[in-house]
Amino acid sequence: FGTLLRRFAAAGADVDVAGLHGSARALMLARLCEEQEAPFLLIASDPVQARDIAEDLSIFGIGGVVFYPGDEMLPYDYHDPDRNLTGMQMRALEALVRGDCRILVCTARAALKRVFAPEDFEKMLIELGTGSEQDPIELAERLASLGYERHEIVEAKGQYALRGGILDLFEVACGDPVRIEFDGDEIVSMRDFDIETQRSTGNRANITVRPFHHIVPTTEGIERLSKRLESIAGARQDEGARKTLLPAERLEEGISFFGMEHYAADVHDLVPVYSYFEEIPHVVFCDAEAVEADVGEFREEIERRFEKTREEGHSYPEPGRVYIDEEEFEKMLGKARKLRFRGLSWKGAVKFSAP
C-alpha cells in the first residue's frame, strides 16, 4: 500500500493495481480515500459492480459515496426511461450540487452521458417544508414545468393532484407519494401515503422536488431547438418538414412524448456529470480492460443508433452534444490522477497478494 501511495502522489499519476478482487478492492479504495482530499470518480464495468462497490465503501465507513446509475436503454432509444432510475440519477445530482458527494460511482456509460449544468439543476429544485409559505396554485405550475402531470388521483411517479387545500405528489425519487395540506398559503402538514389504499403511512417534515425528466423546457431553450429544426426543415411545407418541427411545438405546448429527453442538448447547456466536482477528481477504473472495451462498444453503439434515428426521420442532436466525446474525456483524464485495477498480473502494476 505504501508503494501505491507513493506512485499515486505524483501529479498526473497513472497507477495499475493487480491482485485484488471483490470487496478487497473496495477496502483498499477506502484506505486510499482516507489519504486523499480530492473527490473520486469510480468507473465500474457494469451496474452491478458499481452498486456493489458503492455499498462496500459505505460499509467500510467512507462517507459521501453516491451511486449514479446509467440508463437501461440504448442510446437515442425511442422509449420512456425507467423513472426509478431517473429518480436515483436526480438524487445523485442533488448530492453533487449540494457538495454531499465525495465519491461518485458509476459505469462508463453513465459517466459519458451529459447532464444539466449544476447551476441550472440547483435552480430547478423545489424545497417544501411544514410551516413554510407556498401558494398551491403557483406550486402546481412549477411542478408542471418540471414535467409532473396533473391527475384526479395520484397513481404513479410524476403525477400530482390538487384538490382545494390538499396537493398529492409522487416525486420522482421518493418511494411513496406525499400529501401536502395547506391552510391558505401555509403548509400545515405533510404525510406519506399508500398508493393503493390512499391512507397515510407517516408524517414528514419536508420534501425536495426534483425534475421528472432530464429536460425542463424554457422559452429560450425551445427557441434554440426551433431554430435548429427550422434549419433542417428549410422552406419545405411537406409532411416531412412538419414532422421535423413537431418536437419544438410539443415542448412549447407542455406535451410529453417518447424521445423528448434526447432534445435536452438543444434546450440546455449540458455538461459531464463529473464537472459537478469543484476540482478534477481522481479517477479509478475497476476492471480496466472491461471498462475500456465497454467504452469502445458504447461509442460505436451511439454512432450506429444515431444514424438509425436519422434514417427513421428523427432530428436528434448529434452525439457530441449528448455524450462526452473521446477527446473531451481524454482531456479530463490527462489532468486527473488515475488508478486502474487489472487482472492477476500486469507489467509495472502494484501487486497485492495474500500473505
Side-chain angles (χ1 to χ4, degrees):
F1 185 75
T3 301
L4 171 63
L5 280 182
R6 288 192 295 273
R7 291 193 188 181
F8 199 70
D14 195 342
V15 182
D16 292 307
V17 174
L20 292 176
H21 299 275
S23 296
R25 290 179 174 179
L27 181 59
M28 190 276 284
L29 284 173
R31 182 73 179 86
L32 181 62
C33 291
E34 292 175 347
E35 299 287 338
Q36 305 292 320
E37 294 184 359
F40 279 77
L41 172 65
L42 271 57
I43 301 180
S45 59
D46 60 66
V48 174
Q49 184 187 59
R51 187 171 57 250
D52 289 346
I53 290 174
E55 291 177 354
D56 285 345
L57 286 171
S58 296
I59 290 172
F60 292 139
I62 302 300
V65 180
V66 174
F67 171 50
Y68 182 78
D71 299 325
E72 291 187 355
M73 54 192 295
L74 296 171
Y76 293 105
D77 202 355
Y78 195 68
H79 293 89
D80 205 30
D82 183 338
R83 290 305 168 191
N84 290 315
L85 288 179
T86 301
M88 295 172 68
Q89 292 166 346
M90 294 301 175
R91 275 194 183 277
L93 294 182
E94 181 191 359
L96 282 162
V97 81
R98 297 193 190 285
D100 296 331
C101 174
R102 170 131 189 264
I103 303 172
L104 184 67
V105 187
C106 62
T107 63
R109 296 182 179 228
L112 294 177
K113 182 78 177 289
R114 296 185 186 274
V115 298
F116 296 123
E119 60 272 18
D120 293 336
F121 181 74
E122 189 170 21
K123 293 175 183 176
M124 296 172 188
L125 300 176
I126 302 175
E127 300 291 344
L128 302 173
T130 54
S132 63
E133 297 282 332
Q134 174 68 63
D135 183 288
I137 303 299
E138 292 180 0
L139 175 58
E141 293 174 353
R142 290 190 66 189
L143 292 175
S145 73
L146 292 181
Y148 292 84
E149 297 182 350
R150 185 167 183 172
H151 290 255
E152 290 297 320
I153 298 176
V154 168
E155 297 178 316
K157 286 192 174 187
Q159 297 179 357
Y160 73 93
L162 180 60
R163 303 180 302 279
I166 296 178
L167 186 144
D168 290 348
L169 169 67
F170 204 156
E171 200 273 335
V172 67
C174 290
D176 293 302
V178 61
R179 179 159 293 146
I180 304 170
E181 186 175 352
F182 291 85
D183 182 3
D185 290 346
E186 181 185 358
I187 297 176
V188 294
S189 72
M190 302 177 70
R191 302 185 302 276
D192 293 334
F193 67 91
D194 184 274
I195 201 168
E196 297 294 335
T197 65
Q198 297 288 306
R199 292 181 178 178
S200 298
T201 57
N203 296 325
R204 66 158 63 216
N206 53 63
I207 185 174
T208 299
V209 183
R210 309 157 187 90
F212 186 66
H213 304 290
H214 283 281
I215 182 171
V216 178
T218 62
T219 301
E220 297 79 9
I222 294 173
E223 286 178 356
R224 287 198 299 271
L225 172 59
S226 295
K227 287 181 180 179
R228 186 176 70 83
L229 297 181
E230 286 169 1
S231 69
I232 295 173
R236 294 181 297 119
Q237 299 294 324
D238 57 16
E239 186 63 30
R242 287 191 289 274
K243 181 180 178 182
T244 298
L245 300 174
L246 192 57
E249 295 173 1
R250 286 178 172 174
L251 289 177
E252 188 172 17
E253 294 171 4
I255 301 174
S256 299
F257 56 94
F258 289 157
M260 71 177 191
E261 288 172 290
H262 299 316
Y263 294 102
D266 288 307
V267 176
H268 304 284
D269 295 321
L270 303 182
V271 301
V273 66
Y274 49 78
S275 69
Y276 274 62
F277 290 123
E278 294 184 355
E279 58 183 302
I280 297 294
H282 300 328
V283 182
V284 177
F285 294 93
C286 305
D287 284 333
E289 298 96 324
V291 171
E292 291 160 6
D294 187 47
V295 169
E297 293 174 3
F298 188 49
R299 294 200 185 282
E300 292 177 2
E301 197 172 68
I302 290 170
E303 294 294 336
R304 185 170 60 251
R305 293 286 303 176
F306 177 68
E307 291 303 321
K308 183 177 181 181
T309 65
R310 280 286 196 256
E311 295 170 2
E312 294 171 344
H314 300 294
S315 300
Y316 297 138
E318 295 185 351
R321 300 177 60 210
V322 181
Y323 299 92
I324 314 303
D325 62 30
E326 185 174 3
E327 181 180 355
E328 184 176 357
F329 193 58
E330 290 299 325
K331 184 177 180 180
M332 183 276 291
L333 290 179
K335 299 177 181 178
R337 295 180 186 177
K338 298 167 287 295
L339 187 148
R340 305 173 195 268
F341 284 109
R342 301 289 187 178
L344 290 176
S345 63
W346 191 269
K347 186 177 180 180
V350 178
K351 182 70 163 37
F352 286 79
S353 59

